[in-house]
Amino acid sequence: MMTPTERLSPIEVLLVEDDPGDVLMTREAFEEHKVNNRLAVVSDGAEALAYLRQEGEYSDAVRPDLILLDLNLPRRDGREVLAEIKADEELRRIPVVVLTTSAADEDILRSYSLHANAYVTKPVDFEQFITVVRQIDDFFVSVVRLPPRVDR
């Protein structure tokens, strides 16, 4: 278990989500639960890769400690984004939690084959959604030791 000081260190979380309602609920869960953690949001797969590679408008973006990735995204599908993250020497050590509406075995198997760190099906119910996001946050802030952040 981590010391209280380690637990209070904020982490940078990148949410890759195109549904404004899910973005709003995720922000709410973070704001109510852990004000310290910073949540950045991009709405499609191409934007996610630009953010992670610190390209264009994201040249000053902080490399995230954790990525919450939806699978069904415009421009670049979440599966493509996951494959590129895990194939990239600099990005592959960032934990990726697939957070999606799909409960299909094919999506689950493919995500783990692409080295997702976890696969979570989004609950439809608002309160359950908030609970799930808080549990992910708790796990990666209080239980897991994340690799040190390496910015380019």
Side-chain angles (χ1 to χ4, degrees), residues 103-119:
D105 287 346
E106 178 183 323
D107 286 335
I108 296 166
L109 289 169
R110 183 151 181 230
S111 295
Y112 281 117
S113 292
L114 292 171
H115 306 289
N117 297 85
Y119 189 101

Side-chain angles (χ1 to χ4, degrees), residues 74-92:
R75 295 177 64 198
R76 298 290 298 273
D77 184 74
R79 295 158 199 84
E80 292 176 54
V81 173
L82 178 59
E84 287 204 37
I85 290 169
K86 294 305 181 177
D88 186 301
E89 187 68 35
E90 291 183 30
L91 302 176
R92 72 172 52 150

